[in-house]
């Protein structure tokens, strides 16, 4: 249901970014040594599963999501971490060649400096020669009618906390923690890659 409704319907129709465009991002950046933060249904990992995975660390506060995705991936290389990207003490101490954080930042509680904290912790997980990649729905964007309705519902129910999120603040937070930052827009979605974590 999540794959169908969120990735194949809401993402293209409300936010302007197709599942194929997100798939292409995974195809380009997923490495044999990967951490996925905010695993959801594991759709992109399972469609681009690698035969040569040395490890794939799944990081999410929801144990049910971790269990579901590790079953879906069918590789013994999976390691599950019940952890919160806002709390560095819960995160694995390793660094990874690729770190995915897709459609996670817009879900995080916007009070305080949580988006910046999340990006700082994502930089900690990224190896010196590694790449962070992902996408996030920006609240401060040109939304269509469906997007505006979903923004209202998702922010009212707490599924999203992104009304103030914009491309400039995303770029600012990423640039504070990575030497190289690239953002590509698909209407309300910012697809980002960042490399060269600043220690
Ligand atoms: C909208 S889903 C995105 C799933 C998937 N990455 C995708 O692209 O379809 C958001 C995921 O982020 C997780 N999440 C929410 N808050 C988190 C946090 N503080 N730290 C890590 N993951 C979090 C949720 O449990 C959920 O699995």
């Amino acid at each position: 249901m999540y794959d169908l409704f969120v990735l194949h319907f809401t993402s293209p129709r409300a936010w302007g970014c197709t599942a194929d465009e997100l798939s292409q991002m995974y195809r380009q950046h997923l490495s044999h040594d990967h951490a996925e933060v905010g695993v959801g249904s594991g759709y992109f990992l399972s469609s681009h599963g690698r035969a040569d995975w040395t490890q794939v660390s799944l990081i999410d506060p929801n144990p049910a999501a971790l269990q579901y995705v590790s079953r879906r991936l069918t590789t013994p290389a999976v390691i599950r971490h019940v952890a919160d990207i806002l709390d560095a003490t819960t995160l694995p101490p390793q660094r990874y060649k690729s770190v995915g954080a897709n459609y996670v930042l817009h879900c995080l509680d916007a009070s305080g400096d949580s988006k910046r904290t999340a990006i700082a912790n994502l930089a900690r997980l990224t190896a010196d020669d590694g790449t962070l990649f992902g996408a996030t729905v920006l609240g401060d964007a040109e939304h269509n009618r469906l997007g505006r309705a979903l923004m209202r519902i998702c922010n009212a129910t707490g599924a999203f906390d992104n009304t103030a999120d914009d491309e400039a603040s995303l770029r600012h937070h990423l640039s504070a923690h990575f030497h190289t930052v690239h953002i590509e827009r698909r209407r309300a979605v910012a697809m980002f890659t960042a490399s060269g974590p600043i220690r």
Side-chain angles (χ1 to χ4, degrees), residues 87-152:
D87 180 355
T89 65
T90 66
L91 297 170
Q94 294 111 287
R95 291 175 181 162
Y96 302 85
K97 183 104 179 77
S98 58
V99 177
N102 194 57
Y103 282 175
V104 180
L105 294 176
H106 60 240
C107 300
L108 300 176
D109 178 359
S111 61
D113 218 0
S114 72
K115 314 267 171 172
R116 188 188 172 103
T117 303
I119 289 169
N121 288 334
L122 289 166
R124 281 200 192 100
L125 291 171
T126 308
D128 289 345
D129 61 348
T131 302
L132 164 70
F133 65 92
T136 188
V137 177
L138 301 173
D140 187 355
E142 282 291 319
H143 286 286
N144 62 18
R145 193 186 294 189
L146 177 61
R148 284 193 295 277
L150 284 174
M151 275 289 294
R152 265 195 306 277

Side-chain angles (χ1 to χ4, degrees), residues 2 7 36-40 44 60-62 83-85 102-104 107-108:
Y2 175 88
L7 300 176
E36 184 74 4
V37 178
V39 296
F44 296 110
D60 202 288
N62 181 348
D84 179 349
I85 196 58
N102 194 57
Y103 282 175
V104 180
C107 300
L108 300 176

Side-chain angles (χ1 to χ4, degrees), residues 148-172:
R148 284 193 295 277
L150 284 174
M151 275 289 294
R152 265 195 306 277
I153 295 167
C154 291
N155 278 276
T157 57
F160 286 11
D161 196 350
N162 70 336
T163 45
D165 290 4
D166 62 7
E167 183 177 327
S169 57
L170 176 66
R171 188 181 296 282
H172 176 76

Side-chain angles (χ1 to χ4, degrees), residues 20-36:
D20 279 351
E21 288 170 313
L22 296 170
S23 268
Q24 168 60 25
M25 175 179 69
Y26 273 78
R27 225 181 340 268
Q28 199 176 343
H29 298 293
L30 193 65
S31 78
H32 63 96
D33 173 29
H34 180 76
E36 184 74 4

